[in-house]
Structures are given as structure tokens and as C-alpha cells.
């Protein structure tokens, strides 16, 4: 039986009117390619169902396992696409992870590792398309997730006349249909069949979902974790680590300088050994779907903790309070993939202004899943031992008397009035 004749939620697997006309004349389509089942079946589909002569596959290396990249390359070769692997690891850390760090980037407890990689992956696909004079794209996102928004927004922002196909979503495909289709088209899918979990990995973290993990009440089994030791088996000796920041950016670990990519890599290893950075949350997706998500983000967890500790030392109370709301809004925009949103750009400008003083050192302890701040210091510290110490008389406590007396004046007036009128 040909896949097009199989039972499918969408019985019409023929070209829809829109995709036929959208495709008018274009010969080349650029496929955002991970090498997984969803994106791999897009290759024959683009040729046979959407009428493209040439499929260009683009795999962007943001720090996923080497085997994944090699597998994508091998499949692209088997399926005879014109393939590009783009190494974007340094750019990812410098231009995506570090801005997220400066914003204390967090969505519902998740450092947004998958989220922030999507705009970069789309931007690289657009670069390849530009170099080839192509403006048609395809991606393997389903209609339930966030990635369709992130990828398509970036492509359209960078290339307003982009034509974008999302076959899995457009044709409402199911996994079992995809498997049969892949088999009938000679798409290698052995690895996809063996996989229990759906994993997305880059330098900022590792996302694990699928299988029973989708059940909110199912405890994540130890086997899903690869970057983090289980807290029970982690060393019983705590490890101290010092992170040095220069203007909001981490530049050294334990006094040794590292380039951005290497620094994040090392932070992942150090924190991971101690079981730090396991995250299990209920996450509200862009469309309103609540999903259970597991992540391991050891390096991001360590760096975010250190960064916040340093901000608390150098920024004013008002800056901290206001920045918290800025960070929250920045994170929502980043989660949704609105990387080039004007509000996000404006918030980033504010954040960057505050970061000019976020320089100094933070000492932390890593111990059995816990990451605790031990100490912090900075030339920009808004702390004076002389002012705060119990022993000092520089701050003349008698001068507080008048301020204390008038404190809460309006609230006191309110209670006074209530007592008068209440009777
Ligand atoms: N919920 C995450 C996000 O929207 C993505 C998780 C992707 N995980 C995966 N295993 N494919 O950022």
C-alpha cells in the first residue's frame, strides 16, 4: 500500500492548492534538518508532493552530539540532498546563551536552551538559502509545539517573501504514518525506531521528552540523564568553584580564562558531576498546552546562580527590582523565539546598560545536586563594611529616628480614618 492511500487523519495527501501555488516556479527548497524522522521524511515529500527538484538540507551545529551531526550527514547523502553542516557553536554561546545569562533567562524554571537555539538555526538556514538564491523553506515541526513559531518567525523576519512548508503540521501526520512512509521511500529510520525518548541537545542544555515522561505523575528514570550524575552517586566531597565575570559575561573558571564555548562546556562538566541542573517542570507552551518537560542544564544553572549573586552585590535595589520584571519579559520573548522583536531589543539595551558593572568573582559550592553561593566580590560592590557593620559608627544610627517616625505615614493615616469612620 502506498502511504498516500493509508488511513490518515488528513485524507487528502495530494498537494494542497496553497502549496502548489506557493511553490510556483521554485526549484530549490532549503530544509532545516536535524536528521530525525520528522525532518527526514520531508526530503522525499518535498520532491514528490511539493514538486521541488532540489532539496538542500541544513544542519546547524549548536553543540549536539557529534553522532547526531554525522548521522544527519549520512542520511542526507543517502537521500541525495545538497547538504550543509554549519558550525554555529561559538556564535550560539556568544550571541544567544550569554545574552540569556545577562537577562537571567528563565521560563518557568527552564533556562530555555532549546528555545534560544531555534532563531539561530533558522538564521543559518536563511543564510544558506541566500547564498543559493533560494527562498523556499521546509521544517519538520508539528503543529503542537513552540518551534514552528520560533523558526517561521525568524525566517520571515529575515526574508519577508520566504515560502515556508511544514508538512507534518500541514498534513496532520502521525508518527506511525511517518514510519511507514519512510520505509516505503528508503529513508533510514533505524535509530528513530530504537529511540524511546525525544532529545534535543545544545551547549546550554539537554531536553528530554516523550514516552511515559509525558505523564506529569511519572518520576523521571535515571536513564534519561546523560550530563548529570545522580545526586546519590555524586561525590560526597563538595567542590568549590569560582566564576569570574566581566561586564555580565563569564570569562574565567577557577582563575583560568576560557573562550565562551569552552567555558560553558567546562561549566557543564563541573556542575554535571555533582548532579546540579536537573529540571522537571510543567511547562506552558506558547499555544497554551501544558506539557511535562525534563531538562539537564548543569552549566547554565551554575552560571545563572553566579550571575544573579553578583548582580545582587553591584546593582541598586531599584535596578534589581526593575530588572527582574525586564528579565521576565525578555525571557517570555526569548521563549517564544521573538529574537528580533523591537521590545526585546529595547529590553536588551537596558540589560546591557546594567551589566557594565557586573564584574567580579563568585565562589560557589557544588554538592549532591545543590549549588550554593559561598561568596562574592566586586570592585563595583555597593556594599561598605564600614556602613553595614555592627561595630562601625560611620552610619550614625541616631539619624534614623526621624525617618523611622514618619515611615508608613499614609498607611497610618488610613487606619486612623478607618477607626474614626468605622464606628
Ligand atoms: N519545551 C521546550 C521548548 O519549547 C523544547 C523541548 C524540546 N525537547 C525535545 N526533546 N525535543 O523550548
Amino acid at each position: 500500500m502506498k502511504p498516500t492511500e493509508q488511513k490518515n487523519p488528513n485524507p487528502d495527501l495530494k498537494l494542497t492548492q496553497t502549496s502548489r501555488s506557493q511553490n510556483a516556479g521554485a526549484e530549490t527548497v532549503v530544509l532545516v534538518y536535524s536528521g530525525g524522522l520528522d525532518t527526514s521524511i520531508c526530503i522525499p515529500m518535498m520532491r514528490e508532493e511539493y514538486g521541488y527538484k532540489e532539496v538542500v538540507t541544513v544542519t546547524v551545529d549548536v553543540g549536539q552530539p557529534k553522532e547526531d551531526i554525522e548521522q544527519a550527514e549520512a542520511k542526507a547523502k543517502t537521500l541525495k540532498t545538497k547538504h550543509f553542516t554549519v558550525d554555529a557553536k561559538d556564535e550560539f554561546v556568544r550571541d544567544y546563551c550569554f545574552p540569556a545569562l545577562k537577562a537571567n533567562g528563565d521560563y518557568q524554571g527552564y533556562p530555555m536552551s532549546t528555545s534560544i537555539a531555534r532563531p539561530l538555526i533558522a538564521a543559518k538556514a536563511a543564510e544558506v538559502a541566500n547564498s543559493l538564491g533560494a527562498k523556499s523553506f521546509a521544517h519538520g515541526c508539528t503543529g503542537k509545539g513552540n518551534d514552528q513559531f520560533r523558526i517561521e518567525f525568524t525566517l520571515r523576519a529575515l526574508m519577508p517573501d520566504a515560502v515556508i512548508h511544514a508538512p507534518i503540521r500541514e498534513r496532520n501526520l502521525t508518527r506511525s504514518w511517518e514510519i511507514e512512509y519512510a520505509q516505503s521511500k528508503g529513508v533510514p529510520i533505524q535509530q528513530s525506531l530504537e529511540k524511546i525518548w525525544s532529545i534535543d541537545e545544545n551547549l546550554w542544555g539537554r531536553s528530554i521528552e516523550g514516552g511515559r515522561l509525558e505523564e506529569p505523575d511519572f518520576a523521571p528514570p535515571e536513564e534519561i540523564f546523560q550530563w548529570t550524575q545522580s545526586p546519590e552517586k555524586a561525590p560526597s566531597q563538595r567542590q568549590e568553584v569560582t566564576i569570574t565575570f566581566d561586564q555580565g559575561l563569564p570569562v574565567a573558571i577557577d582563575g583560568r580564562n576560557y573562550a565562551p564555548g569552552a567555558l560553558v562546556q567546562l561549566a557543564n562538566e563541573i556542575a554535571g558531576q555533582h548532579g546540579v541542573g536537573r529540571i522537571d517542570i510543567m511547562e506552558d507552551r506558547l499555544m497554551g498546552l501544558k506539557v511535562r518537560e525534563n531538562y539537564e542544564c548543569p552549566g547554565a544553572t551554575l552560571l545563572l546562580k553566579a550571575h544573579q549573586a553578583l548582580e545582587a552585590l553591584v546593582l541598586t535595589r531599584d535596578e534589581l527590582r526593575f530588572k527582574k520584571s525586564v528579565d521576565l519579559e525578555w525571557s517570555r520573548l526569548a521563549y517564544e523565539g521573538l529574537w528580533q522583536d523591537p521590545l526585546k531589543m529595547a529590553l536588551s539595551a537596558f540589560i546591557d546598560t546594567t551589566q557594565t558593572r557586573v564584574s567580579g568573582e563568585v565562589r560557589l559550592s557544588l554538592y549532591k545536586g545543590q549549588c550554593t553561593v559561598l561568596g562574592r566580590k566586586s570592585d563595583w560592590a555597593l556594599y561598605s563594611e564600614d556602613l553595614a557593620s555592627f561595630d562601625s559608627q560611620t552610619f550614625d544610627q541616631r539619624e534614623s529616628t526621624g525617618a523611622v517616625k514618619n515611615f508608613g505615614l499614609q498607611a497610618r493615616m488610613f487606619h486612623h480614618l478607618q477607626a474614626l469612620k468605622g464606628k
Side-chain angles (χ1 to χ4, degrees):
M1 191 165 41
K2 279 195 290 170
T4 44
E5 291 161 8
Q6 287 166 21
K7 261 191 269 136
N8 189 281
N10 175 359
D12 180 19
L13 264 175
K14 290 274 172 286
L15 266 182
T16 60
Q17 220 35 51
T18 41
S19 43
R20 194 193 294 279
S21 57
Q22 273 177 341
N23 175 15
E27 301 217 320
T28 304
V29 63
V30 174
L31 170 65
V32 184
Y33 191 54
S34 69
L37 176 65
D38 290 331
T39 53
S40 293
I41 65 153
C42 288
I43 298 172
M45 281 198 127
M46 282 301 119
R47 292 189 181 122
E48 294 172 25
E49 308 277 341
Y50 288 74
Y52 285 98
K53 277 210 184 97
E54 183 169 47
V55 179
V56 174
T57 42
V58 180
T59 302
V60 183
D61 182 356
V62 281
Q64 62 271 53
K66 252 203 178 69
E67 309 87 72
D68 288 12
I69 306 255
E70 287 167 0
Q71 209 185 91
E73 287 168 348
K75 282 192 191 179
K77 199 168 174 189
T78 309
L79 299 168
K80 300 195 169 40
T81 70
K82 183 176 183 137
H83 182 79
F84 294 82
T85 297
V86 183
D87 181 355
K89 290 194 286 291
D90 288 333
E91 194 174 338
F92 177 55
V93 174
R94 200 183 55 234
D95 298 341
Y96 293 79
C97 304
F98 281 4
L101 179 60
K102 290 195 275 187
N104 299 311
D106 173 282
Y107 180 79
Q108 300 185 330
Y110 153 51
M112 308 187 291
S113 43
T114 294
S115 333
I116 61 173
R118 297 322 193 212
L120 174 60
I121 291 169
K124 291 295 160 192
E127 259 178 43
V128 171
N130 255 328
S131 74
L132 300 171
K135 59 169 191 160
S136 292
F137 296 90
H139 62 75
C141 301
T142 72
K144 290 185 184 170
N146 297 320
D147 288 342
Q148 52 183 338
F149 292 91
R150 299 167 178 153
I151 289 176
E152 293 197 23
F153 165 74
T154 298
L155 290 175
R156 291 198 176 93
L158 299 177
M159 216 186 256
D161 57 348
V163 172
I164 306 171
H165 307 290
I168 316 295
R169 180 184 73 210
E170 285 161 12
R171 283 142 196 250
N172 205 6
L173 301 182
T174 59
R175 188 176 148 86
S176 47
W177 186 89
E178 288 181 39
I179 290 171
E180 275 192 61
Y181 178 78
Q183 282 163 341
S184 77
K185 298 292 171 189
V187 176
I189 53 161
Q190 200 43 43
Q191 290 94 343
S192 306
L193 293 179
E194 286 161 10
K195 263 178 28 183
I196 307 172
W197 317 112
S198 158
I199 290 162
D200 181 71
E201 199 172 307
N202 62 49
L203 281 159
W204 207 230
R206 191 165 169 271
S207 316
I208 315 110
E209 47 181 30
R212 288 204 65 192
L213 281 177
E214 286 170 1
E215 299 167 33
D217 197 26
F218 176 74
E222 195 51 41
E223 64 168 275
I224 69 165
F225 299 109
Q226 264 182 25
W227 289 12
T228 52
Q229 179 60 273
S230 85
E232 290 93 333
K233 291 196 187 132
S236 47
Q237 204 65 24
R238 79 170 192 195
Q239 181 174 349
E240 279 189 30
V241 59
T242 301
I243 313 286
T244 308
F245 285 87
D246 180 27
Q247 303 195 32
L249 300 181
V251 291
I253 295 182
D254 290 335
R256 267 191 71 171
N257 281 79
Y258 294 92
L263 185 135
V264 170
Q265 184 67 49
L266 181 61
N268 276 325
E269 283 161 26
I270 296 176
Q273 277 165 21
H274 291 274
V276 165
R278 291 186 175 185
I279 298 158
D280 177 358
I281 54 167
M282 289 309 300
E283 184 175 312
D284 292 296
R285 281 194 193 157
L286 212 150
M287 293 277 272
L289 223 58
K290 251 188 210 302
V291 286
R292 200 277 189 84
E293 295 279 5
N294 275 275
Y295 301 101
E296 37 184 2
C297 303
T301 302
L302 169 66
L303 295 172
L304 284 162
K305 184 114 194 180
H307 180 259
Q308 266 169 309
L310 194 55
E311 281 192 333
L313 181 67
V314 302
L315 299 185
T316 66
R317 169 172 61 181
D318 287 340
E319 279 178 306
L320 286 169
R321 193 192 59 238
F322 187 67
K323 185 168 182 294
K324 207 171 193 157
S325 63
V326 170
D327 290 347
L328 192 68
E329 197 59 17
W330 190 99
S331 296
R332 185 190 58 84
L333 292 161
Y335 179 76
E336 297 192 351
L338 291 168
W339 205 258
Q340 298 87 345
D341 184 278
L343 174 61
K344 184 173 158 296
M345 289 154 65
L347 299 178
S348 294
F350 165 78
I351 292 170
D352 284 343
T353 306
T354 63
Q355 298 302 294
T356 53
R357 288 171 288 138
V358 185
S359 301
E361 277 180 24
V362 182
R363 211 166 70 252
L364 306 103
S365 143
L366 301 165
Y367 177 70
K368 290 199 175 289
Q370 297 296 317
C371 174
T372 326
V373 175
L374 298 175
R376 66 288 265 163
K377 60 182 178 196
S378 168
D379 291 343
W380 290 98
L382 297 179
Y383 165 85
S384 152
E385 191 175 351
D386 189 35
L387 283 177
S389 156
F390 288 111
D391 277 331
S392 155
Q393 291 203 326
T394 313
F395 187 119
D396 185 342
Q397 41 179 322
R398 288 167 300 188
E399 285 170 358
S400 295
T401 307
V404 172
K405 208 166 172 181
N406 289 315
F407 183 65
L409 187 61
Q410 295 184 351
R412 277 162 43 214
M413 283 175 83
F414 160 78
H415 286 289
H416 177 65
L417 287 171
Q418 207 182 33
L420 271 183
K421 297 181 195 268
K423 283 173 225 151

